[in-house]
């Protein structure tokens, strides 16, 4: 049985998928049953290193979805529209969809899942998180018996590539970002990578799979690496840390009027984080991603591998196509009824915890006057707010900084309540010896 593939997009990921389909030798035999039927692009005249036959290409993506020879629609065009409408159009036509588009799934996942369930078709998204790393299917299936306590990790390849090269080579931010774009790692608008939005899309998706319910995407506290100063990366290194952009989804202790096992309260966030250099995430460099899943009873499971780029992402896309192709083959083309694990619908309501109730370790850099008693006053502000300090170090302020400060004081706290930490910072900022709170980062 041959299965027709309609490809929406022939950029980094689409070209990677086309290349796998064009060379089935040595792969699973089902790959040979997949036939590229139609391909939508924006510009027919764009020069492409390799391309399917010209007669397969069209600038009309609806024609791809509607083509009667297309059995599975693969959306790798990116963006919210027309991607969302095309996915819904495919579902309405009873065609399963494979997509790598985390932006559309993080924002319209519930609408798409409801439409897919109503039509009895699969929408599979393995490539949307972690590039070539299998993480979606493990969360849906292999780890399904667990109560998940925490999902955390490095889930944006572009920013990890930038941070790794800045730390290893002292490379300039703009140059490394340009390299990440050239290598096909970055989003069409790289602001999504460097401002943390792409990681927030991905942790929203992982949260739904790990905890069985959607959290509002727009309410996830998100901080990227675009405001990160090289000086904090350097101070972090001197204190035994590396800086990584981490995404975290964590189950809170059942507290509050709504929290229960039917309605879990979650702490979900994305931010640059100081990671101890001995921690397994500290050694995840370049475009690699790593996701740590902590569950009961499994304990800790770590998923590691290339998080972006044509080959790894296409590997995940084609794996999803094969899942659907396998089911079609087993059911003689009908697809049968939906497997609830593979379809992965939501089964409870989740809420985000209020930020002030969360607890963290923190790194703070203060610009201050270099006088007797300053460290004592800062320590008192922290102490009176119930914030315990793990270490406090003074560095000389650099000449080019301007302002009156002649010292920089870096404080690392123990794990403390966010509300207490903010209260301490407000009091410290008001001290006449303190010019500014120059940086504030989380610490693992
Ligand atoms: P690209 O920008 O490289 O490719 C997009 C493709 O879609 C291009 O071929 C473009 O046509 C086509 N396209 C865009 N809009 C339209 C339209 N309106 N009509 C017809 N064709 C259109 O993106 P990527 O391949 O990098 O990413 C694709 C998706 O995969 C995104 O959702 C991205 O977030 C996701 N993803 C990307 C990864 C990566 O490493 N790059 C990793 C994981 C997920 P043309 O070629 O003519 O410009
Ligand atoms: N821009 C994304 C990243 C692509 O760098 O991780 C993979 O999702």
């Amino acid at each position: 049985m041959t299965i027709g593939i309609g490809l929406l997009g022939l950029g980094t990921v689409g070209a990677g998928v086309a290349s796998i389909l064009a060379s089935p030798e040595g792969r699973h035999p089902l790959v040979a049953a997949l036939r590229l039927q139609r391909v939508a692009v924006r510009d027919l005249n764009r020069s492409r290193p390799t391309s399917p036959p010209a007669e397969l290409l069209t600038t009309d993506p609806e024609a791809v979805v509607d083509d009667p020879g297309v059995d599975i629609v693969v959306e790798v065009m990116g963006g919210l529209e027309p991607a969302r409408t095309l996915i819904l159009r495919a579902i309405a036509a009873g065609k399963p969809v494979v997509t790598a588009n985390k932006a559309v799934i993080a924002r319209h996942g519930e609408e798409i899942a409801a439409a897919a369930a109503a039509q009895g078709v699969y929408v599979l998204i393995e490539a949307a998180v972690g590039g070539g790393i299998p993480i979606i299917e493990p969360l849906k299936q292999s780890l399904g018996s667990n109560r998940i306590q925490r999902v955390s990790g490095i889930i944006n390849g572009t920013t990890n590539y930038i941070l790794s090269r800045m730390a290893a080579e002292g490379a300039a931010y703009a140059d490394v970002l340009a390299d990440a774009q050239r290598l096909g790692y970055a989003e069409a608008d790289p602001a999504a990578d460097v401002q943390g939005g792409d990681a927030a899309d991905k942790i929203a998706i992982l949260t739904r799979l790990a905890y069985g319910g959607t959290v509002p995407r727009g309410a996830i506290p998100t901080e990227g690496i675009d405001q990160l100063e090289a000086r904090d990366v350097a101070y972090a290194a001197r204190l035994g840390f590396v800086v990584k952009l981490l995404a975290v989804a964590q189950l809170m202790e059942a507290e509050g009027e709504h929290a229960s096992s039917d309605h879990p309260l979650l702490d979900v966030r994305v931010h640059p984080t100081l990671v101890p250099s001995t921690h397994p995430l500290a050694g995840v460099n370049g475009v690699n991603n790593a996701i740590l899943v902590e569950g009961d009873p499994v304990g800790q499971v770590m998923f590691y591998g290339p998080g972006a780029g044509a080959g790894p992402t296409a590997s995940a896309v084609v794996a999803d196509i094969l899942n659907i192709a396998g089911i079609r083959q087993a059911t003689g083309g009908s697809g049968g009824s939906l497997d609830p694990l593979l379809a992965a619908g939501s089964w409870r309501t989740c809420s985000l915890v209020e930020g002030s109730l969360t607890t963290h370790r923190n790194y703070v850099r203060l610009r201050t006057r270099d006088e007797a008693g300053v460290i004592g006053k800062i320590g008192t502000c922290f102490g009176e707010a119930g914030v315990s300090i793990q270490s406090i170090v003074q560095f000389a302020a650099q000449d080019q900084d301007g302002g009156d400060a002649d010292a920089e004081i870096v404080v690392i706290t123990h794990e403390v309540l966010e509300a207490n930490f903010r209260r301490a910072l407000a009091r410290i900022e008001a001290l006449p010896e303190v010019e500014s709170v120059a940086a504030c980062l989380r610490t693992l």
Side-chain angles (χ1 to χ4, degrees), residues 109-129:
E110 284 296 315
E111 178 191 24
I112 288 170
Q119 279 293 330
V121 296
Y122 291 104
V123 174
L124 300 188
I125 59 166
E126 185 61 68
V129 185

Side-chain angles (χ1 to χ4, degrees), residues 193-264:
D193 296 294
V194 298
Q195 293 175 1
D198 177 76
D201 287 344
K202 291 167 174 170
I203 198 68
I205 292 170
L206 296 182
T207 298
R208 177 173 169 278
L209 295 173
Y211 296 103
T214 303
V215 292
R217 164 63 186 84
I220 297 175
T222 303
E223 202 185 317
I225 64 162
D226 53 329
Q227 304 295 319
L228 186 64
E229 290 191 40
R231 162 180 321 197
D232 292 304
V233 177
Y235 286 160
R238 287 167 71 172
L239 297 170
F241 296 91
V242 292
V243 180
K244 296 287 184 191
L245 184 69
L246 291 198
V248 179
Q250 183 172 337
L251 185 64
M252 301 294 293
E253 294 298 321
E255 263 177 29
E257 52 186 301
H258 298 303
S260 69
S261 62
D262 292 332
H263 190 155

Side-chain angles (χ1 to χ4, degrees), residues 8-14 40-44 46 48 58-59 61 75-79 82 100-102 127-128 131 184-188 198 307-310 313:
L8 302 175
L10 190 62
T12 301
V13 181
V41 294
R42 206 166 13 200
D43 177 4
L44 288 175
R46 182 175 157 189
R48 301 173 196 278
T58 172
T59 54
E75 187 276 301
V76 285
M77 68 196 328
N101 191 334
K102 53 268 171 159
Y185 302 157
E187 295 303 302
D198 177 76
T313 312

